[in-house]
Amino acid sequence: MVIIDTVAGMKEYVAAIKARKETIGFVPTMGYLHEGHLDLMRLAKKLADHTITSIFVNPTQFGVNEDLDKYPRDMEGDKKRSESVGVECIFAPTAKEMYPRGYATYINLEGITNTLCGISRPTHFRGVATVVVKLFNIVEPDFAIFGEKDFQQLLVIKRMVKDLNMKVQVVGHPIVRESDGLAMSSRNKYLSPEERKKALILNKSLKHARELFKDGLKDTLKLKDVISQMIASVQGCVIDYVEVIDAEDLSPIKTIKDKALIALAVKVGTTRLIDNTVLGEQLRL
Ligand code: PAF
């Protein structure tokens, strides 16, 4: 497996693959890889001739008071983990390589970024969209795989790829959970054992809402209330948002017809966790 840290080096690596008319499956990450990331890589491997991942803790997607400096990093472990699932190349640039002196171009999406995480993290999706476009331009993937835990991120990237007429096929992968139901996330590392237990309320409340929906509850306000009350009853859990909205464009809905997204962001202690489920789709909790 090769590790490349320059844009020029990566472009050269990609050019050789393209010259052979072979395809690239790409998994962009911020590292500290867990089983969820590895599943994305496994899928990339199935879809394309070559699997490339990027490990880059992208500063532009972190707000001023967020966890950029303490974001967990483990390059040595990440190399081993990605190699174990067949990744052939890791692109691991520095922030200076990606945003050299004088850097001035950012990608902004309207509408879809003004809700859910976009409210409490107003510059987040601008940073995500910018880095993802840059990575796509450097890696030129045929397929790019993203986890559905960041459901809004996946929609933002799909929208952007469509709007900018990009060639890459964006593929979503279902949330990967721990055996007790907690959605896998690099940020779970911040949780103390006690907080880790409290964090299970996210998945439990989603499961409960699915049951209520199955039993006929279609009113989004009522569903939102039940979930909010469950979460708020756990000491130390502070809701950022609970929304039951359209799963295609994240617009508000009053009554669910056949499908809706429940999306949650909750602070457990000082750690902000997100989770979601799509009602009307097969259970993935
Ligand atoms: O989901 C992530 O890990 C990041 O937001 C991404 C897509 C790698 C962009 O930095």
Side-chain angles (χ1 to χ4, degrees):
M1 188 178 62
V2 287
I3 319 279
I4 297 175
D5 59 6
T6 63
V7 172
M10 198 60 224
K11 285 195 166 202
E12 207 181 305
Y13 185 88
V14 167
I17 295 177
K18 297 278 163 182
R20 297 195 299 270
K21 303 221 172 320
E22 291 163 356
T23 55
I24 295 174
F26 178 47
V27 181
T29 80
M30 298 209 298
Y32 208 71
L33 304 176
H34 50 67
E35 201 48 44
H37 293 115
L38 301 189
D39 256 10
L40 306 184
M41 293 166 190
R42 288 182 187 107
L43 177 57
K45 198 164 170 58
K46 271 190 208 148
L47 293 174
D49 300 320
H50 300 276
T51 309
I52 298 177
T53 192
S54 60
I55 296 182
F56 178 58
V57 182
N58 173 37
T60 63
Q61 70 188 74
F62 288 79
V64 273
N65 293 320
E66 292 181 2
D67 56 344
L68 172 62
D69 292 335
K70 70 165 189 163
Y71 196 83
R73 290 159 167 91
D74 176 17
M75 195 58 188
E76 283 315 303
D78 287 351
K79 281 185 205 164
K80 285 189 198 124
R81 279 185 277 275
S82 37
E83 194 163 27
S84 76
V85 291
V87 169
E88 294 154 43
C89 170
I90 298 179
F91 178 46
T94 59
K96 237 182 173 174
E97 180 72 9
M98 290 298 272
Y99 301 108
R101 208 177 152 80
Y103 188 87
T105 306
Y106 293 89
I107 306 286
N108 264 313
L109 284 91
E110 321 239 310
I112 198 166
T113 58
N114 297 334
T115 180
L116 305 182
C117 291
I119 296 174
S120 51
R121 306 185 74 193
T123 57
H124 174 66
F125 290 113
R126 173 184 187 258
V128 169
T130 300
V131 81
V132 169
V133 165
K134 284 172 68 65
L135 290 168
F136 283 177
N137 283 337
I138 297 163
V139 176
E140 295 181 54
D142 297 274
F143 303 93
I145 327 296
F146 293 85
E148 288 176 358
K149 183 171 76 67
D150 297 284
F151 199 90
Q152 187 176 16
Q153 168 172 284
L154 176 62
L155 290 191
V156 164
I157 290 162
K158 281 188 171 167
R159 181 77 259 164
M160 178 183 79
V161 162
K162 197 168 182 195
D163 289 354
L164 298 182
N165 311 105
M166 301 174 89
K167 237 175 62 187
V168 56
Q169 196 176 317
V170 176
V171 181
H173 184 285
I175 297 177
V176 181
R177 295 180 183 277
E178 304 284 357
S179 55
D180 59 7
L182 184 68
M184 288 195 185
S185 162
S186 304
R187 288 191 169 98
N188 290 349
K189 174 191 159 57
Y190 300 147
L191 300 168
S192 68
E194 203 186 320
E195 288 169 342
R196 172 83 183 53
K197 273 187 215 145
K198 291 182 177 184
L200 295 179
I201 193 65
L202 275 77
N203 178 52
K204 275 187 199 152
S205 67
L206 291 175
K207 264 186 163 167
H208 184 58
R210 290 190 71 98
E211 288 302 316
L212 294 176
F213 175 72
K214 215 171 84 192
D215 293 346
L217 183 55
K218 302 283 158 72
D219 183 312
T220 56
L221 260 185
K222 282 191 184 141
L223 279 167
K224 194 173 145 166
D225 269 2
V226 175
I227 300 166
S228 302
Q229 276 175 33
M230 275 182 80
I231 296 172
S233 73
V234 178
Q235 215 197 356
C237 290
V238 178
I239 294 170
D240 176 358
Y241 62 75
V242 172
E243 294 295 348
V244 186
I245 50 184
D246 187 276
E248 308 281 322
D249 63 6
L250 309 185
S251 62
I253 40 174
K254 278 196 176 132
T255 310
I256 305 168
K257 289 202 181 80
D258 37 37
K259 241 171 90 167
L261 170 74
I262 307 182
L264 316 175
V266 177
K267 261 195 158 180
V268 182
T270 55
T271 307
R272 185 175 177 281
L273 300 176
I274 56 173
D275 203 343
N276 69 73
T277 189
V278 179
L279 298 175
E281 271 186 4
Q282 238 191 322
L283 188 68
R284 288 173 179 163
L285 291 171

